């Protein structure tokens, strides 16, 4: 075996490989291709450029995100960690001219459901419904309204909880997961529905309003002014919301409270309106269920002292949204409480318009104060007979007596001499037939007709007989109670037409005045001073004279000047044989009375309109008298009394009256 192994380990003899081919299996470049080499070089270069380009983009983007926008993304990251809830700001207070609070705020306790970590089941719904004494369907409706909103925004389930309800929920919070008590400011109307058409009310912002750029800073669930000053002065009254900050985890759950911002209250708005006058007028209108308007204005500034529209709005029905039933009842009410009759009610001015006709006649020189016209109780013009309200006639009358006793025949003939266009020009300058610019919604302009207006409106020429109706305030004439009050104030102060205003001051939460009432003159009758004095004498006689139509407004110590009016609603022959109280309500005439006092040094003008009140002297004048008595209070004067027949500007100087009402 050993020999065999040795033989096998013997080296084999070397083979001759001289004839074999060399470098078998090894690639060898036998020829250099310059074109192919350039192709590879270009491809390498392009690849390098692309890589460099992408690296530049990457570095630029990193620089932009981390350096240029670093603070912004840091802020966003912080916002993911810190969440905030807005806190409603107390709205500004609304005060009367003497600083008495009309509308303020009080805390309102609402129940809300925080959804982020809680689920509402049937058992919880039943518990909440039982506590709040409401239907489960109402809770579900409120929940569905907030579908799509972030889970950390609470859903308000009910407002205005009682103390018992608040105490029960707080004591049983462990059994009511996610249910919390929310405290927000709620409006308080200290005088109930006083001046409700002027003050207005609040309501939850609607989706349509949220889509408007004007409400860009508002969110769903916010309360905003829906009507009146609450709406018109929204920016002043709203205030600035506060913020409650809280730290949350990655799942959005609240971890701890952080420092927040307190809300800033809204500005206080002080009105020129006097609560005492407002209450006196509204109570008198409501006493006999009257419908209409009462306006009082400071004649020498244009300040509105009282604005009453009857019936008043029941503000409680509008809080939180008015029900369909209540809305239908208001629409069906024959007294139309939804209409603000101060600026939206348009009525024929009736005999109060004779003031305009008289001023125009004196100004145009078609009559003098002593011009006498005979009144037999009717006036024949063309093929028609125009009758005076006094069937037996007034006999021979001059301007002063015509105003005092409201003679229709006198003004028929004066109007015929003037023509409709000249009457209209004076009426417009006195503030009729156009908007006054007062800060009240949906103001109507009324109508003072001209010949051009009729041609444009009806495509028919003006008839002279129509001028006779216009001259006594009938026909196409339409005015608002506020317009008539402005006209009366203009006559009272000697010919200055002021723009009416009712905002005395606006003050910020620190008490600084940021807006102050300033009288604004719209027009002046500089050349009508003596003519206006003659008109005043006739109006004084209308109240204080033996045969005056406004004798019921006479005051013991204050000289009142005024004019009554009875506006025909519709001419119906079938009701002529009936007694006035038997005529259907909607066909009865409207009652007007407008006046100012003291006649010698006017301070206040009052205009009263009673819808379907039949006669100004009996329906409207007593209301104006009560307002004047409330305004003047116990003002003292010298015991000497002035005769009602003495002309304006002579014996009145002997009285001793203050220029301001008793406070």
């Amino acid at each position: 075996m050993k020999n065999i192994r040795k033989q096998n380990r013997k080296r084999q003899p070397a083979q001759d490989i001289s004839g074999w081919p060399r470098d078998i299996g090894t690639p060898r470049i036998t020829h250099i291709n310059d074109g192919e080499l350039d192709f590879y070089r270009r491809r390498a270069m392009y690849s390098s450029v692309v890589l460099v380009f992408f690296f530049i983009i990457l570095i630029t983007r990193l620089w932009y995100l981390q350096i240029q926008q670093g603070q912004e993304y840091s802020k966003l990251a912080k916002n993911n960690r810190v969440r905030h809830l807005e806190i409603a700001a107390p709205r500004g207070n609304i005060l009367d001219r003497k600083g008495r609070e009309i509308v303020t705020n009080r805390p309102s306790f609402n129940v809300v459901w925080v959804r982020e970590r809680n689920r509402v089941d049937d058992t919880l719904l039943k518990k909440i419904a039982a506590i709040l004494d409401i239907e489960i369907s109402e809770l579900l409706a409120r929940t569905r309204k907030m579908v799509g909103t972030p889970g950390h925004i609470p859903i308000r389930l009910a407002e205005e909880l009682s103390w018992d309800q608040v105490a029960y929920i707080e004591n049983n919070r462990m059994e009511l997961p996610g249910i919390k008590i929310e405290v927000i400011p709620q409006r308080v109307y200290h005088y109930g529905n006083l001046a409700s058409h002027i003050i207005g009310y609040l309501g939850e912002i609607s989706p349509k309003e949220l889509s408007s750029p004007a409400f860009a800073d508002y969110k769903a669930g916010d309360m905003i002014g829906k009507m009146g000053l609450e709406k018109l002065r929204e920016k002043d009254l709203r205030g600035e919301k506060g913020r409650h900050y809280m730290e949350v985890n990655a799942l959005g759950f609240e971890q701890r409270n952080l420092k927040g911002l307190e809300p800033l209250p809204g500005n206080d708005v002080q009105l020129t309106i006097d609560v005492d006058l407002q209450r006196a007028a509204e109570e008198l209108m409501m006493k006999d269920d009257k419908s209409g308007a009462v306006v009082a204005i400071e004649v020498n500034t244009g300040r509105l002292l009282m604005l009453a529209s009857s019936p008043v709005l029941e503000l409680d029905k509008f809080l939180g949204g008015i029900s369909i039933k209540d809305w239908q009842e208001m629409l069906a009410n024959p007294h139309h409480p939804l209409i603000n009759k101060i600026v939206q009610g348009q009525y024929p001015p009736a005999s109060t318009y004779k003031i305009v006709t008289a001023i125009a006649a004196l100004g145009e020189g078609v009559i003098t104060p002593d011009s006498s016209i005979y009144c037999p109780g009717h006036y024949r013009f063309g093929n028609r007979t125009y009758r005076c309200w006094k069937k037996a006639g007034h006999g021979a009358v001059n301007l002063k007596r015509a105003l005092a006793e409201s003679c229709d025949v006198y003004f028929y003939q004066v109007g015929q001499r003037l023509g409709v266009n000249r009457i209209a020009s004076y009426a417009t300058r006195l503030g009729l037939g156009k908007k006054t610019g007062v800060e009240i919604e949906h103001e109507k302009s009324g109508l003072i007709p001209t010949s051009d207006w009729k041609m444009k409106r009806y495509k028919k020429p003006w008839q002279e007989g129509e001028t006779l109706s216009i001259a006594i305030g009938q026909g196409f004439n339409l005015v608002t109670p506020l317009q008539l009050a402005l006209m009366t104030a203009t006559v009272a102060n000697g010919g200055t037409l002021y723009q009416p205003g009712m905002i005395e001051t606006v003050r910020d939460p620190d008490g600084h005045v940021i807006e102050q009432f300033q009288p604004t003159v719209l027009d002046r009758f500089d050349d009508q001073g003596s003519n206006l004095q003659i008109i005043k004498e006739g109006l004084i006689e209308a109240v204080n004279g033996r045969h005056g139509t406004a004798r019921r407004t006479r005051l013991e110590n204050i000289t009142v000047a005024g004019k009554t009016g009875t506006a025909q609603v519709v001419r119906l022959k079938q009701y002529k044989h009936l007694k006035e109280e038997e005529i259907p309500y909607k066909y009865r005439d409207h009652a007007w009375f407008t006046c100012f006092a003291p006649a010698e040094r006017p301070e206040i003008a009052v205009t009263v309109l009673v819808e379907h009140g039949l006669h100004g002297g009996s329906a409207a004048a007593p209301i104006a008298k009560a307002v004047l008595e409330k305004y003047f209070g116990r003002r003292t004067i010298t015991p000497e009394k002035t005769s009602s027949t003495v002309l304006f500007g002579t014996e009145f100087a002997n009285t001793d009256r203050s220029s301001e009402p008793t406070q």
Side-chain angles (χ1 to χ4, degrees):
M1 290 296 292
K2 293 182 179 178
N3 293 333
I4 294 173
R5 290 186 183 124
K6 289 180 179 179
Q7 291 177 2
N8 291 339
R9 286 203 300 261
K10 288 182 179 179
R11 183 177 295 176
Q12 298 295 327
Q15 297 181 7
D16 185 9
I17 59 172
S18 59
W20 291 10
R22 296 181 180 180
D23 300 328
I24 295 176
T26 301
R28 183 177 54 184
I29 299 176
T30 58
H31 177 70
I32 297 176
N33 189 333
D34 294 336
E36 186 176 357
L37 183 60
D38 289 341
F39 169 75
Y40 285 112
R41 285 174 177 170
R42 285 195 301 272
R43 188 164 70 174
M45 182 182 65
Y46 293 152
S47 299
S48 300
V49 170
V50 171
L51 288 174
V52 170
F53 176 74
F54 278 110
F55 272 109
I56 291 173
I57 291 177
L58 180 62
I59 293 171
T60 303
R61 183 62 178 169
L62 290 173
W63 174 86
Y64 175 78
L65 294 176
Q66 296 184 14
I67 299 177
Q68 184 72 16
Q69 295 292 323
Q71 292 183 351
E72 179 67 21
Y73 284 102
S74 176
K75 181 179 178 181
L76 292 174
K78 183 179 179 180
N79 289 342
N80 288 333
R81 181 180 65 86
V82 178
R83 177 187 298 158
H84 73 271
L85 290 178
E86 293 182 337
I87 305 173
R91 289 177 73 86
N93 301 321
I94 300 178
L95 317 171
D96 88 329
R97 66 188 305 227
K98 297 178 181 178
R100 290 171 291 191
E101 295 176 339
I102 301 176
V103 186
T104 57
N105 304 287
R106 63 170 175 80
S108 171
F109 297 93
N110 304 333
V111 60
V112 298
W113 170 46
V114 182
R115 297 167 288 169
E116 60 183 7
R117 69 176 80 186
N118 302 289
R119 297 181 60 185
V120 173
D121 55 25
D122 293 341
T123 304
L124 182 59
L125 279 177
K126 290 177 181 178
K127 284 183 180 180
I128 298 172
I131 296 169
L132 302 177
D133 193 22
I134 58 177
E135 296 292 333
I136 296 179
S137 58
E138 184 176 344
L139 296 178
L140 290 173
R142 288 177 178 251
T143 304
R144 293 191 192 101
K145 241 171 98 174
M146 298 295 286
V147 170
T149 60
H152 67 275
I153 297 179
I155 297 177
R156 189 176 299 165
L157 300 179
E159 300 89 5
E160 292 291 317
L161 270 66
S162 66
W163 283 111
D164 292 339
Q165 290 173 326
V166 172
Y168 186 89
I169 291 174
E170 287 295 331
N171 289 331
N172 295 272
R173 291 185 64 179
M174 298 301 295
E175 300 176 10
L176 302 171
I179 301 300
K180 293 184 178 182
I181 297 297
E182 172 190 61
V183 184
I184 64 171
Q186 177 72 33
R187 284 312 232 181
V188 181
Y189 300 93
H190 293 281
Y191 296 93
N193 297 320
L194 184 82
S196 55
H197 289 90
I198 304 302
I199 300 299
Y201 61 91
L202 301 179
E204 187 174 336
I205 190 168
S206 67
K208 182 178 180 181
E209 289 167 329
L210 278 173
S211 63
S212 170
F215 298 98
D217 296 334
Y218 291 76
K219 294 183 178 179
D222 285 352
M223 302 297 287
I224 64 169
K226 291 289 188 177
M227 183 189 129
L229 288 174
E230 292 280 20
K231 177 181 179 180
L232 297 174
R233 288 283 172 164
E234 172 71 16
K235 289 184 178 179
D236 285 317
L237 295 169
R238 180 191 180 199
E240 296 181 13
K241 294 179 179 179
R243 288 193 173 189
H244 171 62
Y245 291 96
M246 65 192 77
E247 187 175 9
V248 297
N249 60 19
L251 299 177
F253 295 157
E254 182 178 343
Q255 300 299 304
R256 64 189 179 98
N257 292 326
L258 304 175
K259 187 177 180 180
L261 296 175
E262 292 296 323
L264 181 66
N267 300 325
D268 288 347
V269 177
Q270 184 175 11
L271 307 181
T272 60
I273 290 174
D274 188 297
V275 163
D276 294 331
L277 297 181
Q278 189 77 24
R279 278 200 296 188
E282 291 186 0
E283 287 172 1
L284 285 168
M285 293 293 285
M286 290 189 292
K287 184 178 180 181
D288 298 319
D289 198 25
K290 293 184 178 70
S291 174
V294 187
V295 179
I297 186 171
E298 202 171 70
V299 301
N300 295 309
T301 63
R303 286 182 173 89
L304 293 166
L305 304 178
M306 180 259 295
L307 294 165
S309 178
S310 181
V312 297
L313 284 176
E314 296 181 46
L315 296 177
D316 290 342
K317 292 184 177 180
F318 289 89
L319 298 178
I322 188 170
S323 67
I324 296 177
K325 178 183 177 182
D326 289 337
W327 181 256
Q328 293 297 335
E329 286 179 357
M330 290 185 181
L331 289 177
N333 190 326
H335 291 167
H336 309 294
L338 293 172
I339 296 177
N340 183 354
K341 299 173 181 66
I342 300 162
V343 295
Q344 294 175 336
Q346 300 180 104
Y347 314 90
S351 291
T352 61
Y353 197 73
K354 292 172 182 175
I355 298 173
V356 177
T357 305
I359 295 173
L362 291 173
E364 296 297 314
V366 300
I367 61 169
T368 68
D370 299 323
S371 296
S372 178
I373 295 176
Y374 183 77
C375 170
H378 62 274
Y379 178 61
R380 186 74 179 177
F381 182 80
N383 59 358
R384 181 179 170 185
T385 299
Y386 293 81
R387 301 192 179 279
C388 184
W389 70 268
K390 189 175 182 179
K391 295 181 180 180
H394 292 88
V397 294
N398 59 13
L399 177 59
K400 178 180 175 181
R401 187 182 168 200
L403 283 170
E405 300 182 23
S406 199
C407 177
D408 292 329
V409 170
Y410 184 94
F411 287 99
Y412 286 149
Q413 297 190 45
V414 170
Q416 183 183 355
R417 298 177 192 178
L418 279 168
V420 65
N421 292 334
R422 286 200 286 184
I423 298 175
S425 66
Y426 280 81
T428 303
R429 290 191 62 191
L430 286 165
L432 305 181
K434 57 185 178 182
K435 294 181 180 180
T436 65
V438 69
E439 199 168 352
I440 302 177
E441 298 174 280
H442 312 302
E443 182 182 11
K444 302 295 185 182
S445 61
L447 174 62
I448 299 299
T450 63
S451 56
D452 290 340
W453 168 84
K454 187 183 178 186
M455 180 59 70
K456 183 178 180 180
R457 177 69 175 81
Y458 294 103
K459 310 300 181 186
K460 293 180 181 180
W462 187 267
Q463 303 296 321
E464 283 192 54
E466 294 174 314
T467 305
L468 274 63
S469 295
I470 293 298
I472 64 167
Q474 295 292 159
F476 296 112
N477 282 325
L478 291 174
V479 300
T480 66
L482 178 58
Q483 289 175 346
L484 201 61
L486 281 181
M487 180 203 76
T488 306
T490 304
V491 173
N493 66 34
T496 302
L497 176 64
Y498 289 99
Q499 180 172 334
M502 62 177 170
I503 305 298
E504 185 64 44
T505 59
V506 177
R507 297 177 184 269
D508 65 18
D510 295 325
H512 300 133
V513 176
I514 59 178
E515 183 180 334
Q516 180 92 39
F517 176 86
Q518 295 293 336
T520 302
V521 177
L522 301 177
D523 202 349
R524 291 185 188 274
F525 284 82
D526 294 327
D527 55 344
Q528 297 291 321
S530 59
N531 292 339
L532 291 176
Q533 184 171 330
I534 295 167
I535 301 299
K536 291 177 185 178
E537 294 172 7
L539 300 180
I540 292 171
E541 190 70 15
V543 176
N544 302 280
R546 179 182 299 178
H547 301 291
T549 58
R551 297 187 300 278
R552 297 190 184 191
T553 322
R554 190 180 305 170
L555 297 180
E556 183 67 22
N557 297 323
I558 303 293
T559 306
V560 181
K563 185 75 187 75
T564 57
T566 301
Q568 191 176 56
V569 175
V570 63
R571 189 189 302 269
L572 293 174
K573 294 182 179 180
Q574 62 266 36
Y575 296 125
K576 281 188 175 182
H577 65 284
L578 297 178
K579 295 180 180 180
E580 290 179 338
E581 60 271 16
E582 295 176 349
I583 299 175
Y585 174 80
K586 64 180 179 179
Y587 297 134
R588 298 176 188 175
D589 296 338
H590 299 314
W592 281 105
F593 181 68
T594 189
C595 64
F596 58 88
E600 55 274 25
R601 285 191 295 274
E603 300 172 17
I604 181 175
V606 179
T607 297
V608 181
L609 179 277
V610 179
E611 288 185 337
H612 311 293
L614 293 173
H615 300 293
S618 58
I623 297 174
K625 179 180 179 180
V627 172
L628 292 174
E629 288 175 337
K630 178 63 70 173
Y631 175 83
F632 289 109
R634 296 181 179 180
R635 179 175 300 187
T636 59
I637 62 170
T638 55
E640 295 85 359
K641 292 188 178 181
T642 305
S643 171
S644 62
T645 58
V646 177
L647 294 183
F648 178 87
T650 56
E651 298 297 329
F652 290 132
N654 294 328
T655 58
D656 179 19
R657 297 186 176 94
S658 171
S659 60
E660 293 295 332
T662 302
Q663 297 299 314

